[in-house]
Amino acid sequence: MRTVEEHQRVVAELIAARPAVTVGLAEAEGRVLAGDVAAPLSLPVFDNSAMDGYAVRAQDVAGASDAAPVKLPVADDIPAGRTDPLSLAPGTAHRIMTGAPLPSGATAVVPVEFTDGGTDTVEIRATAREGQHIRLAGEDVTAGTTVLRAGHVVSPAALGLAAALGLGRLTVLPRQRVLVMSTGSELVSAGTELKPGQIYESNAVMLAAAAREAGAEVVATPTSSDDVTQFSTVLEGYAGQADLIITTGGVSAGAYEVVKDAFGGSGGVEFVKVAMQPGMPQGAGRLHRAAGPATSDPGTPIVTLPGNPVSALVSFEVFVRPALRAAMGLPNPHRPRRNAVLTEGLTSPKGKRQFRRGVYDPTAGTVTTYGPPASHHLRWLASANCLLEIAEDVTEMAAGEPVQLWDLS
């Protein structure tokens, strides 16, 4: 059998970063910057008021108080957005709004709360120090400064900064485009009345959500029967649209294993057993288009996951999610690892890495196994907040022993 680490390396080597693209700000959200971003201008762009109030010369209001207010004529009114240059004459005040450009000669802003709010003459009841309530040009950002670094995830704050700097586009690593395909003649869509032997398709829905949660873009979620011709036709219909194909089902050792039947003899996809539970049957490789020389077609990476729902999602977590996030440059490609104390004993198969569903209590530092270990018990995985990772050489653990877990919360 292949070890978990060996198969992780195989999958990681398949999934490569796409070339950087320059996109609009809305499209850049959540993606990773491909290069440093330098400020084309300073912020603030000009000296402006941090308060609604009055622009004054500080010396003109020295000694002002409630008992001895200073009266000044209001020579002008400056709303935000005024563009003509203004100058404050000694012994006068300009009524000014937050964000409005400061007139030359002004050295302070007195908040309106410390005045009578006059429009012709203002009565100022507080002194003002030099620079009070003034935002100086360039005090936040100096033109030419690197403000965002390559590898930074474009957050709402980063978008706000880019927009404030007049940048309408950013160069980022694009999302991986993922095609998720579920296989099985027994599968039907929700809303269809079930016939005997049929089940509702859930794996593609589940894995598409997992791919999006990992930061990828899902191209489509088609379903195929166990007919090799139909399976191949569906895949060919999406040729060139995906950077990664994920299939689920059709990789075990029995008959009607459509994925193995379609690729088993091509040499492009290798099917293996991985020493883990759940998720032992796995496959990975490249899908080459039928037309054109092989040398000009690097092939689309394909990862074939088992069909049992718990096996499929656990396999995605172990093999696909970290490789996807790494290819997109996203931080923390791996789920956080925690150490916790078991609240009950458990057994594990010798020679296989077991991933058990669990409920982790971070306050107590304990974890309880949750539900049966079989790979069809999806209900328990849906309510779990972690996976316990139990090493291949461990067959039994007692309550109170430490165990490592993957935090899914």
Side-chain angles (χ1 to χ4, degrees):
M1 286 192 187
R2 180 178 284 175
T3 67
V4 169
E5 287 77 13
E6 286 170 343
H7 197 63
Q8 284 175 327
R9 287 193 292 270
V10 168
V11 174
E13 289 170 2
L14 283 174
I15 305 174
R18 295 173 60 193
V21 293
T22 301
V23 298
L25 296 188
E27 196 175 349
E29 182 180 357
R31 302 190 186 186
V32 173
L33 288 171
D36 293 347
V37 176
L41 48 80
S42 295
L43 292 179
V45 180
F46 48 82
D47 294 350
N48 68 87
S49 177
M51 301 286 287
D52 292 337
Y54 294 84
V56 298
R57 294 174 183 263
Q59 62 266 35
D60 288 343
V61 295
S65 66
D66 287 332
V70 172
K71 292 183 178 181
L72 296 174
V74 178
D76 218 324
D77 211 39
I78 314 176
R82 187 164 176 176
T83 59
D84 55 318
L86 294 169
S87 180
L88 178 70
T92 67
H94 287 182
R95 191 170 69 148
I96 192 168
M97 303 299 117
T98 302
L102 197 73
S104 64
T107 61
V109 171
V110 178
V112 67
E113 292 84 353
F114 297 103
T115 74
D116 65 353
T119 56
D120 295 321
T121 300
V122 61
E123 192 174 272
I124 295 175
R125 304 186 180 113
T127 60
R129 56 178 173 75
E130 297 276 340
Q132 176 177 286
H133 302 308
I134 294 174
R135 302 166 177 161
L136 296 175
E139 72 175 31
D140 185 16
V141 174
T142 303
T145 301
T146 297
V147 290
L148 296 170
R149 296 285 183 183
H152 183 100
V153 177
V154 181
S155 63
L159 288 176
L161 176 59
L165 291 168
L167 300 172
R169 297 170 69 79
L170 292 172
T171 302
V172 296
L173 295 178
R175 301 184 193 277
Q176 291 279 311
R177 299 169 299 180
V178 179
L179 174 71
V180 180
M181 187 172 180
S182 195
T183 66
S185 296
E186 72 279 17
L187 303 177
V188 296
S189 300
T192 304
E193 185 176 351
L194 291 176
K195 296 178 181 179
Q198 291 184 329
I199 62 173
Y200 288 120
E201 197 292 311
S202 60
N203 280 358
V205 173
M206 176 177 66
L207 293 174
R212 287 190 292 266
E213 189 271 341
E217 169 191 346
V218 176
V219 173
T221 56
T223 301
S224 169
S225 72
D226 289 325
D227 180 77
V228 170
T229 300
Q230 186 200 15
F231 173 77
S232 301
T233 300
V234 172
L235 274 185
E236 288 169 8
Y238 292 97
Q241 297 184 36
D243 304 302
L244 172 67
I245 298 168
I246 300 173
T247 66
T248 174
V251 295
S252 296
Y256 304 106
E257 301 295 344
V258 65
V259 179
K260 289 183 77 172
D261 293 343
F263 300 130
S266 67
V269 181
E270 182 183 14
F271 296 94
V272 298
K273 293 181 178 180
V274 176
M276 64 184 287
Q277 185 189 63
M280 182 176 67
Q282 300 285 338
R286 292 186 178 274
L287 176 61
H288 296 277
R289 299 181 67 174
T295 54
S296 63
D297 175 24
T300 303
I302 181 168
V303 177
T304 66
L305 304 179
N308 276 319
V310 176
S311 297
L313 190 55
V314 169
S315 297
F316 180 92
E317 287 287 339
V318 175
F319 302 118
V320 183
R321 186 180 189 275
L324 265 182
R325 289 184 63 83
M328 293 182 286
L330 292 168
N332 307 315
H334 297 279
R335 293 287 190 182
R337 305 297 200 263
R338 314 286 186 209
N339 291 314
V341 175
L342 277 171
T343 62
E344 59 188 0
L346 58 80
T347 60
S348 184
K350 185 178 181 180
K352 291 184 180 180
R353 182 92 51 91
Q354 190 177 53
F355 294 92
R356 292 281 292 270
R357 285 138 282 186
V359 175
Y360 170 55
D361 182 345
T363 302
T366 59
V367 65
T368 303
T369 59
Y370 193 56
S375 57
H376 65 284
H377 291 291
L378 183 58
R379 165 198 167 187
W380 304 97
L381 182 57
S383 302
N385 65 2
C386 69
L387 291 174
L388 285 71
E389 183 178 10
I390 304 166
E392 293 85 343
D393 59 348
V394 174
T395 59
E396 189 173 354
M397 297 186 73
E401 285 193 59
V403 65
Q404 187 176 77
L405 58 85
W406 296 24
D407 192 341
L408 304 180
S409 60

